[in-house]
Amino acid sequence: MGLYLRPTALADALAALADPKLAHSPARIDRLTVLAGGTDFYPAQAARAAWLEATPRNVIDISGITELKGIREDASGLTFGALTTWSDIADAALPHAFDGLKLAAREVGGQQVQNRGTIAGNLCNASPAADGVPPLLTLDAVVNIASARGRRSVPLAAFITGNRQTVLAADELVTSIHVPAPAPGARATFLKLGARAYLVISIVAVAAVVTVGADGCIARAAIAVGACSAVPQRLAHLERDLAGLASADAVEVVAARHMAALAPIDDVRGSAAYRRQAALVVTRRALMQCLAVAAEAAA
Amino acid sequence: MNERPSLSGAAPVSFTLNGIARTVVTAPGERLSEVVRRGLGLTGTKVGCNAGDCGACTVLMDGAQVCACMVAARQAEGRSMVSIEGLAELPLGRALQAAFHRHDAAQCGICTPGMLMAAADVLSRHASPDRQTVMDAMGGVLCRCTGYLKIVDAVLDVAQAGLQTKGSGARPGEAVGQRVLRLDGAPKLTGEALYGDDGAPADALWLKAIRSPHAHARFSLGDLAPFLTRHPGIVRVFTAGDVPGENAFGIYPDLKDQPVFGEGIVRHRGEAVLALAGTRAALEAVQIADLPITWEPLPGLHGVQAALAEGAPAIHAGKPDNVLTRGVVACGQPEAARANAAHIAEGTFETSFVEHAYIEPEAGYARRVGDRMEIHACTQAPMMDRDEVARVLGLAREHVRIVPTACGGGFGGKLDVSLQPMLAVAAWHLDRPVRCVYERIESMASTTKRHPARIRARASCDAAGRLVSYELDGDFNTGAYASWGPTVAGRVPVHAAGPYRVPHVRNRARAVYTNDTPAGAFRGFGVPQAAIAHEALLDDLAEQAGIDRLELRHRNALRAGDTTPTGQVLGASAGLVACLDALRPRWQALLSDAAAFNAWSHALRRGLGIGCMWYGIGNTGLSNPSTMRLTLARDGTLTFWNGAVDIGQGSTTVLTQIAADALGLPVSAFRLVVGDTDVTFDAGKTSASRQTFVSGKAAQLAGEALRTRILRLTNAGPGARLDLDGARLIVADGGEQTVVDLAQLPAAGDGIVLEGVGTFDPPTTPLDAKGQGIPYATYGFAAQIASVDVDLGLGTVKVRRIVAAHDVGRAINPALVEGQIHGGIAQGLGLALMEEFIPGRTENLHDYLIPTFGDMPEIEVHLIEDREPLGPYGAKGIGEPALIPTAPAILGAIRHATGVTIRKVPALPHRVHAALAAAGKAVEF
Ligand SMILES: Cc1cc2nc3c(=O)[nH]c(=O)nc-3n(C[C@H](O)[C@H](O)[C@H](O)COP(=O)(O)OP(=O)(O)OC[C@H]3O[C@@H](n4cnc5c(N)ncnc54)[C@H](O)[C@@H]3O)c2cc1C
Ligand code: FES
Ligand code: FES
């Protein structure tokens, strides 16, 4: 490895990322790789090093930037600094709509991973099985991005563009993730299917946020499925079909056709056909759980 | 502000570690684990994967557990950290260490530092955690030995001070049968135990093997000079031409078919073609593209069907049909007998490659001492390593010394040499110490696995459920090289009909070469695979005959006096009936429990299964002696020279218990010297569950021999009591007391005045062409029942409970026996439900899944002690028997719960679901 930068101010980090000499000098051909909690960075290095493949030479470690830390709440909603760890989320007092995100936080690797791994790292790494993505999709999260050129905000659904691909340009950093204030009655859950109890990558993950009105009908349902397509997806058709239904009837409505938008693959963790079927089953179970608490909240 | 990078990119970092302020210069991006281990020399923190998957590197950072392998050293700036070396200073640190010792929560000990740090984290956050809280908090650390239960017990013991177990400091003559605390346990709890990567000389160079990414390829090497010029830190490149002796190794004398470095051709992915020696930094900078290697990939033969297909090319000259060896056991007339049987069951079964997944990857160093070679590495078989290294170097075996380091798990995977020959070649030429540690991925890609099996089997019984015949054809994928393939092909036919009386048998097994990763020894040598078949067929027969599954097994169980399919009459110690009797009340209660549960449960179905096994202790029909030695020196030092390596299974403790009782002095009186080929006799390898039985008997004989000498010296009777007080040996016989002043006795050059040596070689005979003979002197027997819940919607299986009954002859140390059973069950559960090594795809501990804390069932152990007259104090073995019944019991339980038989393991959720769907049993909720 060549350079290791550890800025403590965001502006310095953005300047370094923008510096064409640093990023593109002929002597240091590798662009700066961002390092946060390191829980995706180091395993990827180990995988490449084992077969003597090239690993990132120049690193910018953003973990010392205070501006990127902490969870803030205001009238517009909640903002999670990019460096917010999964343990920070699990330990924070958050509205019930975040219960799914909290459950996901407790299922990202083991506690060591949760203590270091960050929310922005999970989104930027853009794994199809990233457990943070489905709950944040159901919360309509927006990704705040900065570069020396300026700032922009991109809805999470548009931020991840493919398997391990995002809209981030080489000089950009994610600074925070904003979640608009959820409805007070919104309730959430997260269910993960894996082949063992701890430290397991999802075969299917489902997040749901549901609000039930005083009339016992579903006011809003947001449901997202992970690990069943290149990018985790909201089930828009299902959400539409659920809206306005009496919560007692809702689970019956969930059908195979609602999974049509998914495009699961065969891999060592499961077959595509299995994933599709499991997505249906886990979605029903997640919805059932979520409706039970949402109905209670409405009552 | 940006820290200004220096020219080299190195920069200092300051932090507090174990209360001491430290400033260390680190390379850019260097892992904290590296800085702690190599920069500061604190090797208690272990590295098992460098990828966050094993948790062995867990340390506390500002009080929170983190994986040091995923923290950039520079991220530790200004932080306060605690590693295992500082644990004792934490409020509950010492209590945790003591509890781990008391509960035998550390077997090989490689996971223990990480476990203890994670435990310290839980206890600092929760005053009185429950089991679930402890497991949730420690779920990020893997253990391959213990099955986790004793670890949870130890942590809860500290938290609640309510789960006290007693270890015992046994009185003289009473060590056998006691829960003596592991004699080599303490250093594993403090981080002081030195494993393969922990103790190399400071001036050692590093070695890195370059391996084939192709399963089958020709390759050629270009001019290496330009490469060496571009990488000045690389001292030398080693290839096949640099091997001074034979470029070949392998377990069997006539099957040295595996090269140290490939010669123009590679036969499996991960095969080494050359090795680089140099500084660590120089090796890390090398990229594969820098090396002048030209690959010409060739089509590969993957799986036994491809290798056995008509016209398949031969992988090794001399084996045109790719069949390495065949094994057979035949007796009676199975075909004719089957024709008259009341019930017939048959099936085809398939198992996968299984990785040993010891948490310590292969590691060690070599150094040349004059014209001798010395290897310090983790191993299960020092004497075999010695002979392999000697052949590769072209030296007499006396010119090689193997000094085993602490071994962080083996399970059969460290019976073959791995890095030893390469290290020896490099150290020989360079005349400088050379060290190496495999990366996790390298270890998984290149070292041996459990043989995948394709088994076709048929069993029949009469109307009363008495077994009539058993026929098996099994093909075992031995991969590119022979390794232990012949052992598997030989062992399977003997055991394949199960621990039952079967008059008509024809079992045939083949070990087949392929272009897959070499398969070798793994806890059970093919018997766990075969047991899956015989237990499934017994369930079929029970169903057809309308007999309870446990009772059918009881009816057929081998008893003392019965004849086995190899024509051996079992003289004694065949305790399967006692095992089944012990399980019966649980079996009935759990059957009722399952029925009650299923009466209301819809998506979850509960089922119960049973698995039985037998396992021959020691080598199959081959001599496998062990020699143990006890000495008394003139200063009163009592030394136990023990060549059996303890890979966590506990032989150091068990053999000392035996020797102590045979001699009549307490365990605490012994100084232990373990497994150095220069100073201990050959104890044989730590495999085949043989150390307690074979080396244990040798230890007993050594103890008795020394005792006899002492008694003769003092004319004392056999019941005399011994005491050792400095150099005074006190012999009390009835009212009389004689004091021997050891300092006054004539001593050999090394100060030794009295000695006892014992040798034992279990009586066996080779098997003839029909597999008839006495392959083993004794057999372990066991039965386990498993209660599982199957999710009909998702195909997931949760094992709730296992009740295990094992006939071990005599439990020399019940705590250690339980530990073996727990650990065996964990591995059996992995085999049944999740473990599948696929070359190139599951080569890390992220994608290759082994059981975690949360996957373990409750376990209840019943020890049956049907004494083996040949064994030390009646003992047999337990290492492998522990694992074998588990997978059959789980698969039987899945079938009982759902009506679906799983014929390919692991029973991953998608496989179970497909079987449920095909049978119309899947639900959509
Ligand atoms: C053993 C283990 C188990 C795991 N299990 C799970 C699991 O079950 N579910 C799951 O979802 N994940 C899992 N992970 C993955 C990982 O922990 C998460 O994705 C984590 O949230 C990544 O965060 P990080 O800060 O560690 O990322 P890093 O490794 O530091 O970075 C990840 C990627 O994001 C980029 N990046 C990070 N922060 C920013 C930023 N602010 N702006 C721009 N780019 C950035 C980096 O350049 C890098 O490419 C596991 C990892 C391990 C080691
Ligand atoms: S070595 Fe760090 S988790 Fe395995
Ligand atoms: S004791 Fe845990 S891995 Fe060996």
Side-chain angles (χ1 to χ4, degrees), chain A residues 1-9 12-13 16 35-39 42-43 45-47 49-55 61 63 110-113 115-116 193-201 203 251-252 266-271 274 277-278 280-282 284-285 288, chain B residues 1-3 5 9 28-29 31 50-51 53 58 61 64-67 69-72 74-75 132 135-137 139-141 208 210 212-213 269 286-288 441 445 603 791 793-794 796 834 838 841-843 845-847 849-850 852-855 909-910 913 924-925:
Chain A
M1 221 177 268
L3 275 181
Y4 189 95
L5 307 180
R6 192 155 198 269
T8 51
D12 292 336
L35 169 67
T39 62
Y42 280 105
Q45 291 236 69
W51 297 98
L52 283 84
E53 290 161 9
T55 50
D61 170 0
S63 64
Q111 204 135 91
Q112 298 92 330
V113 170
N115 285 343
R116 299 284 302 165
L193 168 64
R196 71 176 177 188
Y198 295 112
L199 284 179
V200 69
I201 300 304
I203 301 172
V251 175
E252 309 290 315
D266 282 318
D267 68 9
V268 294
R269 288 182 256 280
S271 64
Y274 171 70
Q277 181 63 22
L280 173 66
V281 173
V282 180
R284 285 179 170 157
R285 291 181 184 176
M288 203 140 63
Chain B
M1 275 303 294
N2 285 336
E3 292 168 22
R31 300 163 191 265
N50 265 332
D53 296 318
T58 299
M61 194 175 205
Q65 54 174 320
V66 301
C67 290
C69 76
M70 296 192 298
V71 176
R74 299 266 291 278
Q75 294 181 326
Q132 192 62 47
M135 295 201 301
D136 286 350
V141 195
K208 168 108 188 114
I210 306 299
S212 169
R269 174 178 159 90
V286 174
Q287 289 174 24
I288 194 70
I441 293 170
D791 185 326
L794 298 173
T796 48
M834 61 183 81
I838 306 171
R841 296 181 69 187
T842 58
E843 282 172 352
L845 294 176
H846 206 61
D847 297 314
L849 303 181
I850 66 170
T852 63
F853 270 96
D855 299 295
H910 66 101
H913 189 269
E924 298 209 315
F925 273 93

Side-chain angles (χ1 to χ4, degrees), chain B residues 183-276:
Chain B
L183 302 177
D184 54 352
K188 297 176 181 176
L189 304 163
T190 56
E192 285 161 303
L194 296 179
Y195 294 81
D197 189 37
D198 295 342
D203 62 336
L205 283 175
W206 287 84
L207 183 104
K208 168 108 188 114
I210 306 299
R211 299 178 180 280
S212 169
H214 306 288
H216 192 202
R218 271 190 280 274
F219 71 94
S220 55
L221 298 177
D223 182 10
L224 289 160
F227 166 79
L228 287 170
T229 313
R230 273 200 316 276
H231 293 270
I234 308 260
V235 175
R236 187 160 166 177
V237 181
F238 296 95
T239 66
D242 297 304
V243 176
E246 260 182 76
N247 182 26
F249 62 91
I251 299 304
Y252 283 78
D254 57 331
L255 284 168
K256 305 285 177 193
D257 62 358
Q258 190 160 1
V260 180
F261 300 113
E263 297 186 39
I265 188 149
V266 288
R267 299 184 180 85
H268 70 92
R269 174 178 159 90
E271 182 161 354
V273 296
L274 52 84
L276 313 175

Side-chain angles (χ1 to χ4, degrees), chain A residues 66-72 79-85 88 175-176:
Chain A
T66 326
E67 292 151 89
L68 302 182
K69 295 181 183 170
I71 307 174
R72 288 186 310 278
T79 304
F80 298 88
L83 293 174
T84 307
T85 65
D88 291 340
T175 53
S176 63

Side-chain angles (χ1 to χ4, degrees), chain B residues 500 528 531-536 539 549 553 583 587 607-613 782-790 797-806 825 828-829 831-833 857 882-897 900 905:
Chain B
Y500 308 114
I532 287 174
H534 66 64
E535 292 305 274
D539 284 354
R549 289 171 287 161
R553 287 164 168 90
L583 294 183
W587 174 253
L608 200 60
I610 180 163
C612 296
M613 76 97 228
Q784 294 180 0
I785 56 185
S787 168
V788 312
D789 285 348
V790 182
V797 177
K798 170 70 191 152
V799 184
R800 304 173 51 247
R801 181 145 187 215
I802 287 195
V803 190
H806 285 258
I825 287 171
L829 187 150
L831 169 70
L833 297 182
L883 166 153
I884 299 168
T886 308
I890 291 171
L891 296 171
I894 295 174
R895 168 181 168 148
H896 181 234
V900 164
V905 294

Side-chain angles (χ1 to χ4, degrees), chain B residues 417-438:
Chain B
V417 289
S418 52
L419 41 63
Q420 296 90 339
M422 282 190 267
L423 284 173
V425 169
W428 185 256
H429 286 291
L430 297 173
D431 199 8
R432 226 184 121 161
V434 181
R435 69 188 299 189
C436 178
V437 53
Y438 280 5

